[in-house]
Amino acid sequence: MSIIQWLLMSLKSLVEIFWASAVFNAAGTYEFDMTYLEDDKVFIAFKDSWDSSYWKCVVGTISWNSITYWAEYTFSAFTSTEIGCTKIDTNKVAILHGTWTTKVIVASISWTVVTFWTAVEVNAEASDYWYSIIKVDTNKFALTYTHYYNSNAIRWYVIVWTVSWTTITAWTKYQFSWKCWGWTQIIEVATNKIMVAYVDNNNSGRFSCQVAEITWLVVGTYWSIVIPEWAQYAGWWSLIKATDNNVIITFNISAELWALTASVSWTTITPWNWTKLVASSASSSVTSDFYSVAKITTNKYMISVRFYNGTIYTWIAVIFTVSWSTVVVWTTEELTTSRLERCRNMQVADNKVMTIYHDYDNSHYGTWKMYTE
């Protein structure tokens, strides 16, 4: 290692830091999602398993190295296991929740008070689960969900919703896959352009990723990305928009963590470079648990992943940079030695990422940590 490299690494250790972990819900918190509202406010939606499994939410105000939480609000007594939320604007959040029957509700935030619009059923038929939600334009959001018809027809749909005053209106639903299973994610790749990822059981359980244009009340024709054979059977994954029409897809492939850079141009998705972020060995491996990637600052990202180091399961944060289409691992930090069931990362300011997680070793509490540079 050169003197310059040593100095850079020493400086990095001084300016990069994880705050001490703290609890946002002192009860069993297994399902959750969050979104950033700006003005140093973060919105967290979660299921309180110790209070009849009600769906609740809380707003936190970030101040330097602490977060002050407002009162908790119950927005649904609807028993379900899935949750997703996205910011509509700085004072409104759309929350998607349910299993078997899926509903969407809008939370309106005014000063320290949260009120809720009437919940709207996403699908009149039963058996909806595994879904994702994202803002796609001013007063529009898109969501995906599966509908279980039978074991041979588990169909994926996408619906765009328009928000007007205190009303949300659904457009026609569009089916983008008729036989799939497991986790899905939807992201915005440019204005009125979305990307969805899922496991395609109609194609031998391979990972699939598609893009569609949204024009007025129409979700346009999808086009797909070509994934190499060796990477098609990915475990968990997480997508993030880097810049307009450029994305980063992270995969768990054969107990190793990989990143793929790709660009979207007209009706073509072009994969660029594959980079191994975390390698496996005879005694260590990345496990197939929920994880997520977030932007730290321009061209710099953090992904949290469950890792077995040969002795215990721990959670690590991998910091990496992207220059053009090349990914470089910057450092790997230990997030916590607690056993986490899942976690969620979100950029809450330039050079600041908030992580919320289910802390298995601390009474299953809903917990948060902050990474700063």
Side-chain angles (χ1 to χ4, degrees), residues 22-62:
V23 171
F24 69 84
N25 183 46
T29 312
Y30 299 92
E31 310 291 338
F32 48 77
D33 198 10
M34 67 175 172
T35 189
Y36 183 60
L37 298 173
E38 299 179 349
D39 298 325
D40 295 321
K41 292 197 294 290
V42 62
F43 181 96
I44 304 174
F46 60 93
K47 182 172 72 172
D48 191 333
S49 298
W50 293 3
D51 185 13
S52 303
S53 293
Y54 287 171
W55 286 109
K56 298 182 179 181
C57 69
V58 66
V59 176
T61 302
I62 303 168

XYZ file of all heavy atoms in Angstrom, residues 22-62:
334
model
N -30.557 2.768 17.535
C -31.618 3.231 18.423
C -32.937 2.630 17.953
O -33.074 2.219 16.799
C -31.694 4.754 18.436
N -33.910 2.586 18.829
C -35.186 1.916 18.560
C -36.229 2.926 18.107
O -36.365 4.000 18.695
C -35.675 1.173 19.822
C -37.095 0.645 19.634
C -34.717 0.031 20.167
N -36.990 2.582 17.048
C -38.118 3.430 16.661
C -39.454 2.791 17.048
O -40.465 3.474 17.094
C -38.092 3.763 15.163
C -38.379 2.608 14.242
C -39.678 2.238 13.937
C -37.333 1.902 13.651
C -39.949 1.186 13.077
C -37.588 0.844 12.791
C -38.891 0.476 12.506
N -39.455 1.465 17.324
C -40.667 0.800 17.803
C -40.261 -0.310 18.766
O -39.690 -1.322 18.352
C -41.477 0.218 16.642
C -42.776 -0.420 17.117
O -43.502 0.161 17.925
N -43.074 -1.610 16.620
N -40.547 -0.115 20.058
C -40.155 -1.079 21.088
C -41.171 -2.207 21.165
O -41.852 -2.415 22.176
C -40.000 -0.379 22.436
N -41.306 -2.927 20.074
C -42.214 -4.059 19.971
C -41.784 -4.876 18.763
O -40.926 -4.452 17.983
C -43.662 -3.583 19.831
N -42.385 -6.055 18.594
C -42.038 -6.872 17.445
C -42.342 -6.149 16.145
O -43.480 -5.759 15.894
N -41.329 -5.944 15.317
C -41.460 -5.157 14.079
C -40.850 -5.963 12.947
O -39.646 -5.900 12.695
C -40.754 -3.802 14.220
O -41.138 -3.185 15.447
C -41.098 -2.881 13.058
N -41.681 -6.717 12.248
C -41.172 -7.641 11.245
C -41.312 -7.113 9.819
O -40.550 -7.484 8.939
C -41.905 -8.982 11.365
C -41.729 -9.653 12.707
C -42.633 -9.448 13.735
C -40.649 -10.487 12.937
C -42.476 -10.065 14.969
C -40.474 -11.106 14.167
C -41.384 -10.888 15.182
O -41.208 -11.486 16.396
N -42.309 -6.312 9.585
C -42.556 -5.776 8.240
C -42.499 -4.257 8.302
O -43.101 -3.644 9.194
C -43.923 -6.212 7.710
C -44.204 -7.703 7.818
C -43.349 -8.522 6.894
O -42.850 -7.966 5.891
O -43.165 -9.727 7.167
N -41.815 -3.616 7.343
C -41.683 -2.166 7.393
C -41.185 -1.632 6.061
O -40.676 -2.363 5.219
C -40.699 -1.754 8.508
C -39.413 -2.535 8.495
C -38.408 -2.262 7.577
C -39.218 -3.569 9.395
C -37.237 -3.002 7.555
C -38.053 -4.320 9.384
C -37.056 -4.025 8.453
N -41.356 -0.354 5.886
C -40.766 0.372 4.756
C -40.669 1.828 5.179
O -41.275 2.252 6.176
C -41.608 0.227 3.492
C -40.809 0.576 2.226
O -39.580 0.741 2.321
O -41.420 0.679 1.155
N -39.901 2.613 4.436
C -39.767 4.027 4.781
C -39.551 4.843 3.523
O -39.197 4.330 2.460
C -38.612 4.250 5.759
C -37.243 3.975 5.202
S -35.960 4.418 6.413
C -34.501 3.767 5.601
N -39.786 6.157 3.666
C -39.532 7.093 2.584
C -39.121 8.426 3.182
O -39.521 8.766 4.300
C -40.783 7.244 1.675
O -40.445 8.002 0.524
C -41.933 7.912 2.413
N -38.300 9.163 2.448
C -37.796 10.444 2.930
C -38.694 11.571 2.447
O -39.074 11.618 1.274
C -36.357 10.658 2.442
C -35.728 11.925 2.943
C -35.579 12.157 4.310
C -35.271 12.901 2.058
C -34.990 13.317 4.783
C -34.682 14.066 2.521
C -34.542 14.270 3.882
O -33.971 15.425 4.349
N -39.057 12.477 3.356
C -40.010 13.534 3.032
C -39.362 14.882 2.764
O -40.052 15.842 2.449
C -41.008 13.706 4.189
C -41.885 12.503 4.518
C -42.687 12.768 5.781
C -42.801 12.182 3.354
N -38.051 14.981 2.900
C -37.326 16.251 2.842
C -37.519 17.024 4.143
O -38.256 16.596 5.038
C -37.748 17.094 1.630
C -37.471 16.397 0.305
C -37.905 17.213 -0.896
O -38.608 18.226 -0.711
O -37.536 16.845 -2.013
N -36.823 18.154 4.237
C -36.871 18.958 5.467
C -36.486 18.126 6.682
O -37.027 18.299 7.777
C -38.273 19.567 5.684
C -38.658 20.520 4.564
O -37.756 21.211 4.057
O -39.833 20.570 4.211
N -35.558 17.175 6.480
C -35.051 16.333 7.572
C -36.123 15.479 8.224
O -36.038 15.159 9.411
C -34.349 17.198 8.631
C -33.103 17.866 8.089
O -32.382 17.202 7.322
O -32.853 19.034 8.426
N -37.139 15.085 7.468
C -38.189 14.218 7.993
C -38.204 12.889 7.249
O -38.070 12.853 6.029
C -39.567 14.890 7.898
C -39.747 16.090 8.820
C -41.216 16.430 8.991
C -41.860 16.903 7.717
N -41.399 18.232 7.305
N -38.397 11.805 8.008
C -38.498 10.475 7.432
C -39.802 9.841 7.911
O -40.233 10.029 9.051
C -37.280 9.608 7.819
C -37.196 9.403 9.323
C -37.303 8.269 7.092
N -40.459 9.108 7.007
C -41.735 8.451 7.290
C -41.501 6.945 7.307
O -40.982 6.375 6.346
C -42.756 8.832 6.218
C -44.128 8.238 6.399
C -45.132 8.971 7.023
C -44.426 6.960 5.933
C -46.412 8.433 7.177
C -45.686 6.422 6.088
C -46.680 7.164 6.717
N -41.893 6.287 8.415
C -41.731 4.841 8.547
C -43.102 4.200 8.734
O -43.866 4.602 9.611
C -40.834 4.470 9.743
C -39.471 5.152 9.642
C -40.653 2.953 9.826
C -38.591 4.939 10.866
N -43.431 3.212 7.895
C -44.654 2.419 8.046
C -44.253 1.014 8.465
O -43.297 0.446 7.923
C -45.435 2.388 6.736
N -44.971 0.440 9.430
C -44.561 -0.860 9.954
C -45.750 -1.599 10.563
O -46.782 -1.003 10.870
C -43.467 -0.684 11.018
C -43.884 0.146 12.199
C -44.401 -0.450 13.343
C -43.774 1.538 12.178
C -44.791 0.315 14.437
C -44.161 2.311 13.262
C -44.673 1.699 14.400
N -45.567 -2.917 10.747
C -46.561 -3.739 11.421
C -46.116 -3.963 12.855
O -45.012 -4.458 13.110
C -46.751 -5.079 10.714
C -47.831 -5.949 11.371
C -48.152 -7.179 10.553
C -47.049 -8.201 10.596
N -47.449 -9.465 9.942
N -46.982 -3.627 13.811
C -46.688 -3.810 15.225
C -47.238 -5.172 15.655
O -48.416 -5.317 15.962
C -47.319 -2.686 16.057
C -46.822 -2.681 17.488
O -46.428 -3.756 17.976
O -46.827 -1.603 18.122
N -46.362 -6.163 15.678
C -46.802 -7.524 15.961
C -47.239 -7.722 17.400
O -47.871 -8.733 17.727
C -45.672 -8.510 15.623
O -45.363 -8.452 14.255
N -46.905 -6.782 18.271
C -47.307 -6.897 19.671
C -48.596 -6.133 19.963
O -49.044 -6.081 21.096
C -46.195 -6.400 20.586
C -44.970 -7.259 20.560
C -44.754 -8.360 19.782
C -43.792 -7.088 21.338
N -43.516 -8.880 20.014
C -42.895 -8.122 20.979
C -43.381 -6.163 22.305
C -41.636 -8.247 21.545
C -42.136 -6.297 22.866
C -41.268 -7.333 22.494
N -49.180 -5.522 18.945
C -50.437 -4.804 19.118
C -51.410 -5.251 18.036
O -51.768 -4.490 17.135
C -50.213 -3.292 19.062
C -51.475 -2.497 19.362
O -52.454 -3.097 19.857
O -51.495 -1.281 19.094
N -51.795 -6.515 18.114
C -52.782 -7.106 17.191
C -52.344 -7.057 15.734
O -53.172 -7.129 14.824
C -54.144 -6.412 17.346
O -54.594 -6.483 18.683
N -51.031 -6.898 15.508
C -50.472 -6.821 14.149
C -51.059 -5.664 13.347
O -51.197 -5.738 12.112
C -50.668 -8.149 13.405
O -49.887 -9.163 13.998
N -51.410 -4.583 14.044
C -51.922 -3.401 13.356
C -50.799 -2.739 12.551
O -49.631 -2.780 12.920
C -52.474 -2.390 14.367
C -53.786 -2.772 14.994
C -54.292 -2.037 16.063
C -54.545 -3.839 14.531
C -55.505 -2.368 16.658
C -55.757 -4.177 15.105
C -56.225 -3.443 16.182
O -57.419 -3.777 16.760
N -51.221 -2.094 11.453
C -50.287 -1.303 10.660
C -50.207 0.103 11.249
O -51.228 0.743 11.459
C -50.737 -1.237 9.202
C -50.511 -2.513 8.455
C -51.454 -3.393 8.028
C -49.261 -3.053 8.057
N -50.884 -4.454 7.398
C -49.521 -4.271 7.390
C -47.932 -2.641 8.191
C -48.515 -5.075 6.861
C -46.925 -3.450 7.662
C -47.222 -4.642 7.002
N -48.992 0.566 11.500
C -48.781 1.873 12.106
C -47.755 2.663 11.300
O -47.054 2.126 10.435
C -48.293 1.721 13.552
C -49.275 1.013 14.472
C -48.751 0.933 15.901
C -49.745 0.258 16.823
N -49.247 0.199 18.230
N -47.650 3.933 11.622
C -46.621 4.760 11.003
C -46.139 5.782 12.014
O -46.813 6.089 13.004
C -47.146 5.451 9.745
S -48.386 6.721 10.053
N -44.950 6.305 11.752
C -44.373 7.333 12.608
C -43.489 8.221 11.736
O -42.881 7.752 10.775
C -43.573 6.704 13.776
C -42.348 5.962 13.265
C -43.188 7.746 14.806
N -43.471 9.499 12.054
C -42.601 10.455 11.362
C -41.470 10.830 12.311
O -41.703 11.097 13.497
C -43.375 11.709 10.930
C -42.437 12.741 10.303
C -44.474 11.336 9.934
N -40.253 10.822 11.796
C -39.100 11.201 12.597
C -38.407 12.419 12.023
O -38.301 12.568 10.802
N -37.975 13.317 12.892
C -37.229 14.504 12.476
C -35.751 14.291 12.799
O -35.391 14.004 13.941
C -37.741 15.762 13.208
O -39.131 15.917 12.937
C -37.004 17.002 12.727
N -34.913 14.408 11.785
C -33.484 14.150 11.929
C -32.777 15.443 12.314
O -32.935 16.475 11.657
C -32.895 13.597 10.623
C -33.640 12.334 10.201
C -31.399 13.322 10.774
C -33.333 11.890 8.791
